[in-house]
Amino acid sequence: MIHVSSAPVESVSWQSLLAGSITDPAELLRRLGLSEDLLAPAIAASGSFALRVPEPYLSRMRPGDPNDPLLRQVLPLGEELVDQPGYVTDPLGEQHANARPGIIHKYHGRLLLVVSAGCAVNCRYCFRRHFPYADNSLSTSEWQDALDYIRSDTSIAEVIYSGGDPLAANDRRLAWLTQEIAAIPHVRRLRVHTRLPVVIPQRVTPALLDALCGTRLPVTMVLHCNHANELDRELADAVRRLRNGGITLLNQAVLLRGVNDSLGAQMALSESLGDHGVLPYYLHVLDQVKGASHFHVPDEQAIALVGRMMIRLPGFLVPRLVREIAGEPGKVPLPVSLGGTELHHALRTF
Ligand code: SF4
């Protein structure tokens, strides 16, 4: 029998887990007992976007299964190296919305702060896999510039911590930044987009809660969980700590071929999130980023899938199916409806 975990992770600090993430494809395959045939493509594809898998996430994968839905999100494959028409390095045009270092200002009333360039896990479908993070790692004076930008635009009611993963930043940085933002009168809300509690639940510490929740700003955290197998006991405990800290919890997922593109997978994800008090917020269709075309799910399939979820689940557990389009003033919903022809098609194929 293969044992995925080499040591219990409960007592290890999140910083050690982050630093100790697996970055060597050979080690990943060895730990999961997978065929060496996967090694050469994994090495080739990780050349432009590195492999990164933290231990707590690895521990939820099924040994010996190359189709494990968690493994598929992180394993570099040869398909990534095949150019496909329409798949580009900046599918959302973010480099035009990069108002100044550290700031992405796409939508009215809210902006993204690139709080950390790093992630705890490298997701192969990531639309920012080619983002110029080196240009967005801020010095102290650049942080002041970014704050001045927020101070000078009174339309900004919401600041969104993004990245990379913002929770890869240390608690001292997060506490300082949150206090500075809370001191800007027109900012009303703080949002945190993060996958870190999903892949390293140990990240949710009392110090993190103090850093995020210690000001007047209400805090919403949008987790990024794509499959029910990600919701293990450690993550459930972390979610409970976040909720007890007064944070509103939502989830956004990406619809990915071979990972979560079945009714069963989406139902299980929504039900599990609901069990833990996390509301499914968005289900994104894939952004057409270079290297990720093998995750594509056709729109008709996506619409039919969410139509079926609308019949089977309470409305608050059905995520909004959306696409992000460069230059649009917000996310664009796909036409899923109970009375629409799309749903009739879904019912015929139930
Ligand atoms: S955690 Fe988010 S930002 Fe980081 S690689 Fe995954 S999808 Fe991209």
Side-chain angles (χ1 to χ4, degrees):
M1 181 175 173
I2 297 155
H3 294 278
V4 175
S5 295
S6 59
V9 296
E10 289 82 2
S11 56
V12 183
S13 74
W14 70 269
Q15 293 94 336
S16 301
L17 291 166
L18 187 63
S21 295
I22 293 174
T23 55
D24 176 2
E27 184 183 356
L28 178 67
L29 298 179
R30 183 181 57 73
R31 293 285 302 279
L32 290 170
L34 292 171
S35 165
E36 287 189 3
D37 293 350
L38 295 164
L39 185 57
I43 290 172
S46 59
S48 57
F49 184 47
L51 169 80
R52 174 171 276 275
V53 188
E55 198 72 39
Y57 196 62
L58 176 77
S59 71
R60 292 169 235 167
M61 296 177 191
R62 291 186 295 257
D65 182 0
N67 295 316
D68 177 88
L70 277 55
L71 174 69
R72 284 189 60 86
Q73 296 177 57
V74 299
L75 178 66
L77 298 176
E79 286 100 313
E80 295 183 26
L81 301 170
V82 180
D83 272 344
Q84 293 289 349
Y87 285 78
V88 298
T89 55
D90 183 18
L92 304 185
E94 287 195 321
Q95 286 165 40
H96 300 294
N98 205 187
R100 61 183 62 187
I103 287 186
I104 299 174
H105 197 177
K106 290 193 279 197
Y107 300 146
H108 177 80
R110 57 233 192 254
L111 61 67
L112 296 178
L113 269 184
V114 181
V115 175
S116 167
C119 287
V121 63
N122 280 352
C123 313
R124 307 315 296 179
Y125 54 85
C126 180
F127 68 88
R128 291 200 184 122
R129 54 182 285 169
H130 307 284
F131 189 77
Y133 284 116
D135 302 339
N136 283 272
S137 297
L138 305 192
S139 64
T140 304
S141 69
E142 284 172 325
W143 272 115
Q144 288 301 343
D145 284 349
L147 289 166
D148 284 344
Y149 183 93
I150 301 169
R151 289 184 191 108
S152 67
D153 184 344
T154 56
S155 75
I156 296 169
E158 181 170 17
V159 172
I160 303 169
Y161 290 174
S162 184
D165 196 308
L167 297 194
N170 65 44
D171 296 327
R172 202 154 46 93
R173 163 59 55 85
L174 290 168
W176 171 78
L177 191 56
T178 305
Q179 283 162 16
E180 291 290 317
I181 291 167
I184 302 173
H186 55 266
V187 177
R188 304 167 69 149
R189 299 178 294 278
L190 178 66
R191 202 189 324 172
V192 182
H193 284 183
T194 179
R195 187 151 161 76
L196 228 154
V198 176
V199 298
I200 305 180
Q202 293 80 352
R203 176 66 185 97
V204 182
T205 60
L208 174 69
L209 294 171
D210 286 348
L212 295 178
C213 304
T215 75
R216 68 176 176 87
L217 297 173
V219 181
T220 300
M221 184 173 286
V222 185
L223 297 171
H224 176 175
C225 193
N226 289 321
H227 196 279
N229 290 4
E230 295 175 352
L231 278 148
D232 67 351
R233 186 177 56 80
E234 279 74 25
L235 178 52
D237 289 345
V239 162
R240 193 173 308 114
R241 295 195 291 279
L242 291 164
R243 291 177 67 205
N244 289 344
I247 295 177
T248 300
L249 286 172
L250 307 175
N251 186 66
Q252 57 182 343
V254 182
L255 184 59
L256 301 165
R257 181 148 66 96
V259 173
N260 59 9
D261 59 335
S262 68
L263 181 61
Q266 286 296 329
M267 292 277 294
L269 176 59
S270 277
E271 296 268 29
S272 296
L273 290 167
D275 290 347
H276 299 300
V278 182
L279 292 180
Y281 176 37
Y282 281 140
L283 178 60
H284 295 262
V285 296
L286 182 74
D287 298 310
Q288 293 198 321
V289 66
K290 187 177 162 71
S293 62
H294 54 292
F295 288 114
H296 173 71
V297 176
D299 281 4
E300 313 78 60
Q301 183 184 337
I303 288 167
L305 202 160
V306 178
R308 292 180 206 182
M309 293 175 75
M310 287 172 70
I311 295 170
R312 294 188 172 201
L313 290 170
F316 66 90
L317 289 184
V318 180
R320 275 178 264 174
L321 181 66
V322 292
R323 163 174 287 121
E324 193 159 343
I325 299 176
E328 288 293 320
K331 307 263 190 305
V332 179
L334 273 74
V336 182
S337 73
L338 271 174
T341 53
E342 294 82 8
L343 188 63
H344 291 150
H345 172 75
L347 287 169
R348 278 205 307 277
T349 54
F350 223 109

